[in-house]
């Protein structure tokens, strides 16, 4: 807005502010930038949260129209500028290729709208820092959605309460096989579109976010090595982005950990595994089997089901259906979007990943690739 007024607190024609309207139950009007797989996921989550899917824009007017038709969205905007000029839009979801995130999310914030931006938040630390500054006082979130599995919250609660003891070691991996062959291709392999890092920026960012979120600890330094299995794919040559990366991490507490990230692991579709050993008990979570949490003890290890009656309050809050009725990835995504919209209404949902968390992931990704290229440990510093 040209008068410097925050549109989230500016009065609407009915005399209520945007936040007051949302808190009173009025439906948010949201729009999506991008028309691919993640746009579909975001659109389902927006509908589940009772938002009005008011519009979408993609890489061309033709693609925008096709995406609007496919996803059942009311309006196709011819460009991002046209979308942002619509003052009736409250929240914009950015779901485009990585290299576009910083510019587009910045434009959304400058237009006075709240934003949900896919990860990585940006492909450089400087761009991510600028976005954090631009988002001051606004709702700006990043979908680190694995935080929203109820049993991830249960694991976190055990460390936060001291029940699991202090963190001793971490064993974590995120494995996929969708780029296993030389004939498998995607825009992400191109550093001009996806950024300097591929596998770690794409899925390793989720993994390290979960490590820090569950443990309550922070990565203090990293030592990494990376591999590009295929320098050429179907429509790309001279590929420099990594197919796999292995990382040793040291936490601020002194705990040690190993992270393995790969997009060339046969049979693994989306296998995010996290095991954290505490001095009293270990916890292990498998994203492909999200209905149970393993708790390891010297005597009497156990399997905890997703059952609200047996979980911490934060975990029970995210358990939407009765135990025995499985929840999964889309449910976690829906919960993230619902909490983002609650934040737009002025609430402060527990564990909501904001742009500061997106910046943290970009900084760690940069450190991992710096380490792999230099062959040295990289310190994270104290300001991140």
């Amino acid at each position: 807005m040209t008068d410097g007024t925050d549109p989230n607190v500016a009065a609407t024609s009915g005399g209520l502010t945007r936040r007051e309207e949302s808190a009173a139950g009025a439906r948010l009007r949201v729009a999506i930038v991008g028309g691919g797989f993640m746009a579909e996921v975001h659109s389902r989550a927006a509908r589940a949260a009772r938002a009005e899917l008011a519009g979408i824009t993609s890489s061309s007017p033709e693609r925008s129209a096709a995406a609007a038709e496919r996803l059942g969205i009311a309006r196709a905007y011819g460009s991002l500028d046209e979308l942002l000029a619509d003052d009736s839009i409250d929240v914009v979801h950015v779901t485009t290729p990585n290299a576009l995130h910083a510019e587009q999310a910045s434009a959304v914030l400058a237009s006075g709208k709240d934003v949900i931006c896919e990860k990585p938040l940006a492909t450089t630390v400087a761009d991510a820092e600028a976005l954090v500054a631009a988002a001051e006082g606004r709702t700006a979130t990043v979908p680190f959605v694995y935080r929203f599995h109820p049993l991830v919250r249960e694991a976190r609660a055990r460390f936060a309460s001291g029940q699991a003891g202090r963190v001793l070691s971490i064993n974590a991996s995120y494995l996929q096989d969708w780029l296993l062959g030389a004939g498998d291709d995607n825009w992400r392999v191109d550093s001009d579109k996806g950024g300097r890092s591929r596998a770690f920026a794409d899925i390793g960012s989720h993994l390290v976010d979960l490590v820090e979120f569950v443990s309550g600890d922070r990565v203090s330094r990293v030592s990494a090595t990376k591999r590009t299995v295929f320098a050429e794919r179907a429509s790309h040559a001279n590929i420099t982005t990594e197919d796999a990366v292995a990382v040793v991490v040291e936490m601020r507490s002194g705990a040690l950990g190993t992270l393995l990230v790969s997009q060339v692991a046969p049979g693994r579709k989306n296998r995010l595994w996290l095991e954290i050993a505490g001095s009293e008990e270990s916890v292990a979570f498998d994203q492909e089997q999200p209905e149970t949490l393993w708790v390891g003890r010297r005597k009497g290890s156990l399997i905890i089901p997703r059952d609200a009656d047996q979980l911490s309050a934060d975990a029970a809050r995210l358990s939407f259906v009765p135990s025995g009725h499985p929840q999964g990835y889309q449910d976690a995504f829906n919960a993230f979007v619902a909490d983002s919209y609650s934040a737009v209404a002025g609430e402060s949902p527990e564990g909501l990943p904001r742009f500061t968390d997106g910046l943290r992931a970009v900084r760690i990704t940069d450190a991992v690739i710096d380490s792999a290229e230099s062959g040295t440990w990289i310190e994270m510093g104290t300001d991140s």
Side-chain angles (χ1 to χ4, degrees):
M1 298 182 67
T2 56
D3 64 358
T5 303
D6 182 345
N8 273 336
V9 298
T12 64
S13 58
L16 296 176
T17 68
R18 289 290 189 195
R19 286 197 173 100
E20 287 170 343
E21 280 192 336
S22 181
R27 296 177 71 189
L28 287 174
R29 286 175 53 83
V30 306
I32 297 174
V33 185
F37 166 70
M38 291 313 302
E40 295 182 18
V41 175
H42 281 252
S43 70
R44 295 188 205 108
R47 284 194 173 95
R50 295 185 61 255
E52 179 183 350
L53 276 168
I56 189 169
T57 187
S58 190
S59 56
S60 69
E62 295 75 21
R63 287 179 177 270
S64 299
E69 174 68 22
R70 188 178 78 254
L71 301 178
I73 295 177
R75 177 179 175 183
Y77 293 92
S79 66
L80 177 60
D81 287 343
E82 183 182 341
L83 184 159
L84 296 180
D86 185 345
D87 290 336
S88 74
I89 299 297
D90 301 305
V91 183
V92 178
H93 294 239
V94 176
T95 71
T96 50
N98 303 352
L100 300 175
H101 291 176
E103 178 182 356
Q104 292 176 339
S106 178
V108 173
L109 290 166
S111 76
K113 305 180 194 308
D114 294 309
V115 62
I116 297 173
C117 182
E118 266 298 332
K119 44 68 75 187
L121 182 59
T123 57
T124 69
V125 170
D127 282 347
E129 289 174 338
L131 282 173
V132 168
E136 182 69 28
R138 310 210 54 84
T139 297
T141 63
V142 181
F144 287 129
V145 298
Y146 300 116
R147 292 184 177 196
F148 290 82
H149 282 296
L151 291 173
V152 165
R153 297 297 178 107
E154 177 65 20
R156 182 183 190 228
R158 287 173 174 267
F159 280 99
S161 68
Q163 182 175 353
R166 64 186 180 90
V167 179
L168 300 179
S169 64
I170 296 161
N171 173 24
S173 61
Y174 199 156
L175 308 178
Q176 299 175 332
D177 69 359
W178 68 288
L179 289 172
L180 179 61
D184 298 321
D185 210 348
N186 185 266
W187 59 262
R188 289 175 176 82
V189 308
D190 183 348
S191 59
D192 289 338
K193 295 181 179 179
R196 178 188 182 199
S197 170
R198 188 215 319 157
F200 199 89
D202 186 22
I203 59 177
S205 56
H206 278 297
L207 187 64
V208 78
D209 177 77
L210 217 56
V211 164
E212 294 193 337
F213 183 71
V214 171
S215 70
D217 207 346
R218 303 280 269 183
V219 174
S220 63
R221 62 177 187 151
V222 301
S223 177
T225 186
K226 64 185 178 78
R227 293 290 183 273
T228 302
V229 177
F230 299 109
E232 295 186 2
R233 290 182 178 270
S235 60
H236 292 91
N238 302 315
I239 296 170
T240 59
T241 56
E242 77 281 3
D243 291 298
V245 58
V247 189
V248 177
V249 298
E250 184 174 313
M251 310 300 286
R252 288 183 182 172
S253 67
L256 295 177
T258 58
L259 313 178
L260 178 62
V261 174
S262 175
Q263 293 176 322
V264 290
R268 293 303 188 187
K269 304 307 176 185
N270 198 47
R271 208 261 191 165
L272 187 162
W273 168 268
L274 174 66
E275 182 170 331
I276 302 178
S279 56
E280 298 299 324
E281 62 184 27
S282 299
V283 297
F285 176 78
D286 181 355
Q287 197 279 147
E288 289 188 336
Q289 305 291 332
E291 289 289 282
T292 59
L293 180 74
W294 179 78
V295 176
R297 296 172 179 163
R298 193 161 190 176
K299 294 182 180 180
S301 297
L302 67 151
I303 302 292
I304 298 177
R306 185 191 55 76
D307 179 1
D309 291 337
Q310 302 182 51
L311 302 179
S312 64
D314 194 31
R317 176 182 77 89
L318 296 171
S319 193
F320 304 124
V321 296
S323 181
H325 300 72
Q327 290 184 203
Y329 170 78
Q330 186 68 55
D331 297 289
F333 213 107
N334 293 358
F336 157 74
V337 169
D339 273 7
S340 293
Y341 293 169
S342 293
V344 171
E347 299 177 20
S348 299
E350 171 66 23
L352 181 63
R354 300 179 184 264
F355 272 19
T356 50
D357 300 292
L359 169 59
R360 173 69 179 170
V362 173
R363 283 176 169 158
I364 294 178
T365 298
D366 229 31
V368 165
I369 301 304
D370 283 349
S371 175
E373 293 179 351
S374 67
T376 61
W377 283 88
I378 299 294
E379 304 281 343
M380 289 303 304
T382 57
D383 61 346
S384 56

